[in-house]
Amino acid sequence: MAIGYIWQLLYRSQYFEGGRVLTAAQAAIDLALHDIKGKALGVPVYELLGGKQRDFIPCFATTGSSDVETLVANVKLLVSKNWNVIRMSPAYRQTDLATREQVWEPWDSIGITADWFAQVRAAVGSGPVLGTDYHHRLSVAESASSRLREGAF
């Protein structure tokens, strides 16, 4: 029942630096402990976290494709189903010639992703909010320098 104490113990007693793997594991334990405590007390977890905050939670749809034509069609379909916030996966797949496996290089995808997203925006207009997520695959320095390289500033 002492979730805060357990969190502090996990976070502060690590011998090695946490990093993504350990903090993700800690987050999973934290969520599980909240779920267990909520069930034991017979209340939803949001009651443990200060009570209900809103009646509506905005959501987004996610889509992607290995070609821009399908990406545009996917986004148009989502817009037709009244999604107004859409996350698109970054573009660009390449084949490693030595292994014939699909390899994704995030850095190399930035330019083509920007081009594809411009084509999607032209196809669907200014209405929906469009975004992407590289899921920590680019460092802050890579993100900033790639924007400079693409002339975004």
Side-chain angles (χ1 to χ4, degrees):
M1 292 293 182
I3 297 171
Y5 171 79
I6 293 170
W7 189 94
Q8 291 291 336
L9 185 65
L10 290 172
Y11 186 77
R12 295 177 185 277
S13 67
Q14 296 178 29
Y15 180 76
F16 295 102
E17 236 181 88
R20 286 189 272 186
V21 174
L22 288 178
T23 53
Q26 181 180 340
I29 292 168
D30 190 58
L31 288 169
L33 291 175
H34 277 88
D35 188 48
I36 292 166
K37 186 172 185 174
K39 286 180 178 160
L41 297 174
V43 297
V45 171
Y46 68 78
E47 290 294 344
L48 302 176
L49 302 174
K52 187 176 176 182
Q53 302 292 315
R54 59 181 63 106
D55 293 318
F56 174 78
I57 298 175
C59 297
F60 61 87
T62 300
T63 190
S65 178
S66 59
D67 64 87
V68 70
E69 295 80 13
T70 307
L71 180 63
V72 169
N74 291 347
V75 173
K76 283 183 173 181
L77 177 65
L78 291 171
V79 169
S80 75
K81 295 186 178 292
N82 297 318
W83 284 98
N84 61 0
V85 180
I86 300 167
R87 177 178 67 174
M88 299 177 289
S89 299
Y92 200 69
R93 296 272 177 198
Q94 67 185 25
T95 302
D96 182 298
L97 297 177
T99 63
R100 298 278 186 216
E101 293 181 19
Q102 291 291 312
V103 177
W104 186 55
E105 294 294 338
W107 176 267
D108 293 339
S109 76
I110 294 169
I112 193 167
T113 297
D115 179 58
W116 285 18
F117 286 18
Q119 291 181 57
V120 170
R121 175 60 72 203
V124 299
S126 61
V129 174
L130 303 175
T132 191
D133 192 345
Y134 273 82
H135 300 285
H136 304 281
R137 290 182 180 116
L138 297 173
S139 69
V140 173
E142 288 172 327
S143 297
S145 64
S146 64
R147 290 191 56 152
L148 288 170
R149 186 177 69 170
E150 298 295 329
F153 290 113

